[in-house]
Amino acid sequence: MTNRIDERRIQPQVLLGAETPPAAAGACERALRATARARLDTFAASADTCPTSAGGRRPRTASSTPATPTADEASASHARPESGSAGPADAGPADAGPSDAGRPDAGLDDEADCPNDDYDRCIDRTVPNPELWVDQGSDAGPIDRSDIRQRQIGDCYVMAVLGGLTSTTEGRALLQNAIRENRDGSGQVSSYTVTLHRPERHWFASTTFAMVALDVRPVYARGHAEARPGDGRNEVWVPVMERAYALYAGGYNAMGHGGSIGDAIEIITGHPARTYGLWRIFSRYSVDDLQRDLLSGHLVVVASRDDVEQSRPDLVPNHAYLVTGLEVQGGKPAIRLWNPWGNVQPAPVPFDKLRSLFFQLNVGSAR
């Protein structure tokens, strides 16, 4: 599979004027029905649940150095400004990529002592030499999509939203302003304060958002999103944001077994999300709509169907993908996708196949 994603691109690129040579060129119906499960208590039940992966899992390597959590840290994942459980979830791929060997978590076993993906019982991973933001040579800046790599925790819906926010100046600023380091007397980082947003629904008025500040200790569940190594330091803004979202949701288990893409957009950005059910006959979202959203700097996330592998083996069933651009293939528009697993990316998808491969499309913004 060819990686069609230019990780250094600042804006999602729309290329509909030129032909792309053919050679250059995993939320499904079952997940939809699963919305009967409890969602975050702040939201009414709806059909925009996160995809559930029936595909392979990420390598069972623990993220960083084992540590013994304190009593308050062990219970911290249950401290929640908003409670509730998530819907179905996905997880990462079965085989490690070539870059896994050099990562700070290589060689450790996530599954040991953490049966049945009960992440809240396995909050014992720390990251050596952590640094919140690292401006690595190949990146567009300290916050880059290359920093994101989901592992076994099934939070593709969160990782895809974070990936979308790295694509614009406003999104990167939102992420950078969302995290504040807290240092102890010796100058060492003891925790992070992360600001998320609680949507408040009103019968006869627009949704409003209340800011929620969460204290995040630097101890993570096994299988957390990777800290990206670079120049002797490990970049941790992604696992910190993931940890904060887990606290908001009511624990790693509540977040890591599924959730709503639309909710993730609103909780992270503090701005309303739009959701299009692609299974609906009268739901209209055209290629012009997509082009307009991408050019406006909006983040667009799609959720794959559970049978997607039958026609596209390079796509993961029940999985959230970020839309990164449009191009032309065979005289027709095609969408480029980014998989939050971060290692191998799918080939572009013809726009006219969107409804047969994906059941939902979500749009959000950092402004």
Side-chain angles (χ1 to χ4, degrees), residues 206-264:
S206 301
T207 299
T208 58
F209 294 85
M211 290 191 296
V212 178
L214 301 163
D215 185 57
V216 176
R217 296 177 181 271
V219 184
Y220 312 97
R222 301 177 200 178
H224 68 77
E226 288 188 359
R228 185 183 178 193
D231 193 24
R233 301 164 295 172
N234 293 302
E235 190 170 7
V236 296
W237 73 266
V238 178
V240 168
M241 287 294 295
E242 180 181 59
R243 180 84 161 99
Y245 200 99
L247 287 171
Y248 183 103
Y252 276 106
N253 287 347
M255 174 194 68
H257 294 283
S260 162
I261 297 171
D263 291 353

Side-chain angles (χ1 to χ4, degrees), residues 98-123:
S99 61
D100 284 343
R103 294 182 177 270
D105 54 3
L108 297 175
D109 186 2
D110 279 333
E111 195 166 39
D113 304 321
C114 190
N116 303 318
D117 295 330
D118 187 357
Y119 306 115
D120 289 332
R121 295 177 63 87
C122 304
I123 303 174

Side-chain angles (χ1 to χ4, degrees), residues 242-308:
E242 180 181 59
R243 180 84 161 99
Y245 200 99
L247 287 171
Y248 183 103
Y252 276 106
N253 287 347
M255 174 194 68
H257 294 283
S260 162
I261 297 171
D263 291 353
I265 291 173
E266 297 191 337
I267 290 167
I268 294 171
T269 69
H271 297 286
R274 288 181 276 134
T275 298
Y276 299 88
L278 300 178
W279 72 95
R280 294 175 179 169
I281 297 175
F282 299 107
S283 178
R284 295 288 183 261
Y285 190 82
S286 69
V287 68
D288 291 337
D289 294 326
L290 177 57
Q291 184 174 11
R292 183 162 45 250
D293 280 328
L294 293 176
L295 290 174
S296 297
H298 297 161
L299 63 94
V300 181
V301 180
V302 291
S304 61
R305 296 167 58 99
D306 64 348
D307 58 355
V308 70

Side-chain angles (χ1 to χ4, degrees), residues 22-289:
C28 63
E29 302 298 339
R30 185 176 60 216
L32 181 62
R33 292 192 296 271
T35 56
R37 296 185 183 184
R39 299 172 62 203
L40 296 176
D41 289 347
T42 50
F43 301 97
S46 71
D48 57 343
T49 20
C50 164
T52 299
S53 172
R57 303 186 65 80
R58 289 300 302 272
R60 292 288 188 172
T61 55
S63 292
S64 26
T65 307
T68 302
T70 61
D72 60 338
E73 180 58 38
S75 62
S77 62
H78 299 283
R80 48 185 172 183
E82 302 305 318
S83 62
S85 61
D90 71 329
D95 55 298
S99 61
D100 284 343
R103 294 182 177 270
D105 54 3
L108 297 175
D109 186 2
D110 279 333
E111 195 166 39
D113 304 321
C114 190
N116 303 318
D117 295 330
D118 187 357
Y119 306 115
D120 289 332
R121 295 177 63 87
C122 304
I123 303 174
D124 61 358
R125 294 303 190 225
T126 59
V127 176
N129 304 318
E131 188 158 332
L132 197 53
W133 323 104
V134 179
D135 191 352
Q136 305 201 38
S138 62
D139 295 350
I143 300 177
D144 190 87
R145 199 184 306 147
S146 296
D147 301 335
I148 302 170
R149 193 167 183 185
Q150 178 197 357
R151 295 182 64 252
Q152 80 196 64
I153 292 177
D155 58 355
C156 60
Y157 62 104
V158 175
M159 295 295 113
V161 172
L162 294 180
L165 290 173
T166 66
S167 301
T168 64
T169 301
E170 295 85 359
R172 292 191 296 274
L174 184 150
L175 291 170
Q176 202 153 23
N177 292 332
I179 308 176
R180 185 183 76 241
E181 293 179 330
N182 302 311
R183 297 182 180 272
D184 58 22
S186 64
Q188 298 298 311
V189 175
S190 58
S191 67
Y192 304 91
T193 299
V194 179
T195 301
L196 297 177
H197 306 85
R198 183 179 66 247
E200 297 178 342
R201 315 297 183 187
H202 308 284
W203 281 104
F204 302 107
S206 301
T207 299
T208 58
F209 294 85
M211 290 191 296
V212 178
L214 301 163
D215 185 57
V216 176
R217 296 177 181 271
V219 184
Y220 312 97
R222 301 177 200 178
H224 68 77
E226 288 188 359
R228 185 183 178 193
D231 193 24
R233 301 164 295 172
N234 293 302
E235 190 170 7
V236 296
W237 73 266
V238 178
V240 168
M241 287 294 295
E242 180 181 59
R243 180 84 161 99
Y245 200 99
L247 287 171
Y248 183 103
Y252 276 106
N253 287 347
M255 174 194 68
H257 294 283
S260 162
I261 297 171
D263 291 353
I265 291 173
E266 297 191 337
I267 290 167
I268 294 171
T269 69
H271 297 286
R274 288 181 276 134
T275 298
Y276 299 88
L278 300 178
W279 72 95
R280 294 175 179 169
I281 297 175
F282 299 107
S283 178
R284 295 288 183 261
Y285 190 82
S286 69
V287 68
D288 291 337
D289 294 326

